[in-house]
Amino acid sequence: MKTLQFRQAIAEAMSEEMRRDESIYLMGEEVAEYNGAYKASKGMLDEFGPDRVLDTPISELGFSGIAIGSAMNGNRPIVEFMTFNFALVGIDQIINNAAKIRQMSGGQFNCPIVFRGPTASAGQLGATHSQAFESWFANCPGLKVVVPSNPNDAKGLLKSAIRDDDPVIFMESEQMYGDKGEVPEGEYTIPLGVADIKREGSDVTIVSFGKIIKEAYLAADELHKEGISCEIIDLRTVKPLDYEAVVNSVKKTNRLVVLEEAWPFGNVATEITYHIQSNAFDYLDAPIVKINTADTPAPYSPVLLAEWLPNHTDVIKAVKKVLYK
């Protein structure tokens, strides 16, 4: 094993795949000359040259469309958005073209493309730069949605996403790029659609994904001191979602808390809640609790932002609620 930052794991995954397959290239704002806005493509221009690492104009609609057309003609582009907030400018291309072209062409065209970049909040960046769109993209048939929480998962999942023959939304976090973690030395991939039990437990299941899962770990550490055993499941892939892993865990613990950095209406936690009550209702000893942000745009004020964003204290309260403590 070796220790890598999250950004290094991303760069390593892209570079390894580009060495393996010449049809893969990277494009986006500042990915080349500047080594990426978050240095997630550092050194790639030097190795692969300007034909395969392309700086684009500030036009997400334009370069997303170019990448989709390229994918339909045999290439496998990786498109970096400086933030998925900016992907809204190009969402017509993603939803109406990338996600639908295989079906609408009767299978004549597929779209092997990865759209990647940071999602959700990253401190005091204001309401238009602090939005989590995982559930938006997951709602659209034809798209796969991946949200890793650590360098090991990021590398293995990104390699699988690049090899996938369908469009994949790969969502990272500005606040995780400096995170360090152990990554295997050799070649490896992690299949899409398979959740991971990060911690075994017996009293309650906590399901989460992305950077907010760190709050679940903090909560579990505090609850352990009180004799409460938390099982933590990292979904890793939101679409397809590993329902089986969650159901099996709930059958063991009989209680479920879902932690997600998203607005509370119609999100991933809502879908999980519905599925569990439909398929594991008889195993539940308490109502499911889901934890989300406040139902408002993200505030800029640090005091208000702290109240808006879920934290480990919220998780502790939710766990004690389902345990009737």
Side-chain angles (χ1 to χ4, degrees):
M1 302 289 280
K2 58 187 175 183
T3 300
L4 293 180
Q5 288 185 329
F6 194 103
R7 59 167 60 88
Q8 293 173 315
I10 293 293
E12 198 167 89
M14 293 190 293
S15 295
E16 288 179 7
E17 292 304 298
M18 287 173 69
R19 293 180 197 120
R20 185 184 63 85
D21 185 345
E22 291 187 356
S23 71
I24 300 168
Y25 66 91
L26 171 67
M27 69 188 307
E29 296 152 356
E30 298 185 348
V31 299
E33 295 289 345
Y34 192 65
N35 287 307
Y38 312 103
K39 300 300 179 277
S41 55
K42 186 176 181 179
M44 292 180 65
L45 175 63
D46 293 337
E47 178 175 356
F48 299 104
D51 290 337
R52 297 185 67 196
V53 182
L54 292 79
D55 280 329
T56 66
I58 304 175
S59 178
E60 286 77 12
L61 181 67
F63 64 74
S64 295
I66 289 170
I68 291 166
S70 169
M72 291 168 60
N73 283 278
N75 292 301
R76 307 182 77 90
I78 305 167
V79 175
E80 178 178 306
F81 295 122
M82 197 175 293
T83 161
F84 263 95
N85 295 280
F86 299 163
L88 297 189
V89 182
I91 200 168
D92 174 60
Q93 290 288 352
I94 298 170
I95 300 297
N96 281 328
N97 293 324
K100 296 177 173 62
I101 193 62
R102 181 191 286 272
Q103 185 201 50
M104 293 181 69
S105 69
Q108 295 178 81
F109 293 100
N110 62 350
C111 192
I113 187 171
V114 175
F115 297 99
R116 50 158 295 269
T119 183
S121 64
Q124 290 178 262
L125 299 181
T128 58
H129 289 68
S130 304
Q131 303 171 110
F133 294 120
E134 293 88 351
S135 60
W136 284 34
F137 290 109
N139 184 254
C140 180
L143 298 177
K144 298 176 181 179
V145 181
V146 181
V147 194
S149 67
N150 60 78
N152 176 74
D153 289 353
K155 181 179 178 182
L157 290 166
L158 183 53
K159 287 171 72 71
S160 293
I162 294 169
R163 296 181 189 186
D164 201 285
D165 286 332
D166 292 307
V168 179
I169 307 295
F170 196 92
M171 309 181 95
E172 303 154 15
S173 169
E174 290 154 84
Q175 292 184 324
M176 288 199 301
Y177 284 121
D179 288 0
K180 293 182 179 179
E182 289 191 335
V183 174
E185 290 280 0
E187 166 73 15
Y188 76 100
T189 60
I190 296 174
L192 306 186
V194 179
D196 188 29
I197 299 175
K198 297 299 187 185
R199 297 193 188 186
E200 298 272 357
S202 57
D203 295 327
V204 60
T205 299
I206 303 174
V207 174
S208 189
F209 58 90
K211 80 171 190 295
I212 202 69
I213 200 172
K214 295 177 184 180
E215 300 300 321
Y217 297 146
L218 293 173
D221 290 340
E222 290 297 315
L223 291 164
H224 179 73
K225 298 174 184 176
E226 301 181 34
I228 298 172
S229 174
C230 299
E231 180 147 297
I232 300 177
I233 296 179
D234 186 345
L235 292 178
R236 303 195 294 195
T237 302
V238 168
K239 185 79 172 286
L241 198 150
D242 190 352
Y243 294 107
E244 184 179 4
V246 181
V247 168
N248 289 340
S249 180
V250 169
K251 287 181 177 179
K252 178 174 68 171
T253 67
N254 310 117
R255 295 169 174 85
L256 175 62
V257 171
V258 187
L259 170 65
E260 177 187 7
E261 184 181 346
W263 296 305
F265 188 90
N267 50 39
V268 176
T270 304
E271 168 62 21
I272 293 171
T273 300
Y274 174 78
H275 187 87
I276 295 302
Q277 69 87 23
S278 297
N279 295 277
F281 181 80
D282 290 341
Y283 292 90
L284 288 171
D285 287 342
I288 299 166
V289 174
K290 69 187 189 80
I291 306 168
N292 298 110
T293 68
D295 195 15
T296 70
Y300 177 78
S301 159
V303 177
L304 293 177
L305 184 63
E307 288 295 315
W308 179 83
L309 193 65
N311 59 46
H312 70 282
T313 302
D314 298 320
V315 180
I316 290 171
K317 290 177 180 177
V319 167
K320 290 185 175 181
K321 182 177 181 179
V322 298
L323 288 168
Y324 301 110
K325 290 182 180 288

